[in-house]
Amino acid sequence: MSQKKQKYEFNKQIPIVQPAVKKVETDEILSGTDKVQYILSEHWKKIAIGIGALVVVVIALIVIKFVREHNDLQLRHQLAAAKTVAELQELTDANADHPSAIPALFRLGALYAADNENAKAAEAFKKIYDAQDNVNDFDRLRAGIASAYQLEAAGKEKEAIALFVAISQDQTIQAYPALLQEAICNAARLNVKNNDKAAAAALLEKIVSTEQNAGFWQQQCAALKAQLAEVK
C-alpha cells in the first residue's frame, strides 16, 4: 500500500470533533434600554399578570384596613353612646378582645360599684386584669386591685385576699411600688380581720425588703405591722 493511501486510511479513523457552539440569546447581546425593551416585549403577559396580582393584593389590604378602622370607630361610638348598664355589658361581652373594651370595662365596673352591685363590678375589673393585650401594665394592675376591693365589698374576703396576693406576685408589679404595697397591705389587713395573723405578718415582711418608699401605703403597712407586734 502506498504511503499516500495509508495516510488516507489513518485519517478516516480519526473522528472529526465539531467545535462547541454556544447559543447566544438575544437578551445577552443587548444592553441598557434595548435589553429592557426586549424583555418587556417578550414577557409582557407574565409581567402584566404579576403586576395585576400585586395591585389586587394592595387594594385588598387597603379595603381591609378601611373596614377595620370603620368598624373600630363604629364600636367606639356604640360604647360611648351606651345608655344603660345592660347595653354596655352586652357590648363589652361581644367585643372583649377589642382595645376599646378596656376603658368601657372600667366604666362598667364603676357603674356597677355605684349601684352596689359589687360582684358584677369585681367581674368587670377582673376582665381587665386578666387581659394580656390592649392594656398597659399599670392599668391592668390597678383594675386587679379595684376588683379585689369589690370582692371584699361583696363579702368575698377570701377571694379578695387571694387576688391581692396574686397581684403582689405579678411579674410586672415591681415597677410600681405603690401598687405593690397597696396589694400587700390590703391582703395583710384582711388576713388580720380573718384572724390569720401569721399570714399577715409574712406578707408585711415583704414590705420591709422594698427599697422605695411609696408614701401612704408604706405608712399603712408599718402601722399594721406595729399593731401585730403589740398583739404578740
Side-chain angles (χ1 to χ4, degrees):
M1 183 181 295
S2 66
Q3 187 176 3
K4 185 176 181 180
K5 188 174 181 181
Q6 287 178 345
K7 184 176 181 181
Y8 172 76
E9 292 294 334
F10 175 76
N11 288 339
K12 283 176 63 179
Q13 296 175 10
I14 299 175
I16 299 175
V17 179
Q18 297 293 337
V21 179
K22 181 179 182 297
K23 182 180 178 181
V24 180
E25 300 293 344
T26 306
D27 61 350
E28 293 183 18
I29 60 176
L30 296 176
S31 62
T33 56
D34 292 333
K35 184 172 183 178
V36 174
Q37 183 179 358
Y38 171 77
I39 292 174
L40 290 174
S41 64
E42 289 294 316
H43 306 288
W44 68 271
K45 289 185 179 180
K46 293 180 181 178
I47 294 172
I49 292 172
I51 293 175
L54 180 61
V55 170
V56 170
V57 171
V58 171
I59 292 174
L61 291 174
I62 292 172
V63 171
I64 291 171
K65 182 180 179 182
F66 173 79
V67 171
R68 283 180 177 174
E69 289 178 351
H70 175 73
N71 291 340
D72 289 350
L73 182 61
Q74 186 178 27
L75 177 59
R76 285 197 293 271
H77 285 321
Q78 289 176 338
L79 289 168
K83 296 180 180 179
T84 65
V85 174
E87 185 180 356
L88 189 58
Q89 178 75 68
E90 183 179 354
L91 285 169
T92 54
D93 286 345
N95 302 278
D97 296 330
H98 195 277
S100 297
I102 298 300
L105 283 168
F106 269 117
R107 179 186 167 201
L108 182 63
L111 289 172
Y112 276 134
D115 290 339
N116 293 320
E117 295 191 59
N118 305 108
K120 290 183 178 180
E123 183 181 356
F125 291 130
K126 185 65 160 52
K127 286 180 180 179
I128 301 171
Y129 177 69
D130 290 338
Q132 298 299 318
D133 302 312
N134 305 321
V135 58
N136 61 63
D137 291 332
F138 178 79
D139 285 341
R140 187 177 64 82
L141 294 168
R142 187 164 59 90
I145 289 174
S147 179
Y149 281 132
Q150 292 302 314
L151 286 171
E152 179 186 1
K156 300 180 178 180
E157 293 185 351
K158 289 186 177 180
E159 291 181 33
I161 292 171
L163 184 53
F164 277 129
V165 171
I167 293 168
S168 72
Q169 296 171 348
D170 193 281
Q171 294 179 351
T172 64
I173 201 168
Q174 293 298 329
Y176 308 99
L179 295 181
L180 170 61
Q181 294 176 6
E182 182 177 1
I184 291 176
C185 189
N186 279 289
R189 173 180 60 81
L190 288 175
N191 274 315
V192 171
K193 184 179 178 181
N194 285 272
N195 295 316
D196 193 348
K197 296 180 177 60
L203 284 166
L204 292 171
E205 286 300 319
K206 297 180 181 180
I207 294 293
V208 177
S209 63
T210 58
E211 297 178 358
Q212 299 183 35
N213 192 315
F216 175 78
W217 288 109
Q218 181 79 24
Q219 295 172 13
Q220 293 296 310
C221 289
L224 188 56
K225 190 173 182 181
Q227 180 184 339
L228 287 174
E230 288 177 3
V231 172
K232 289 181 181 179

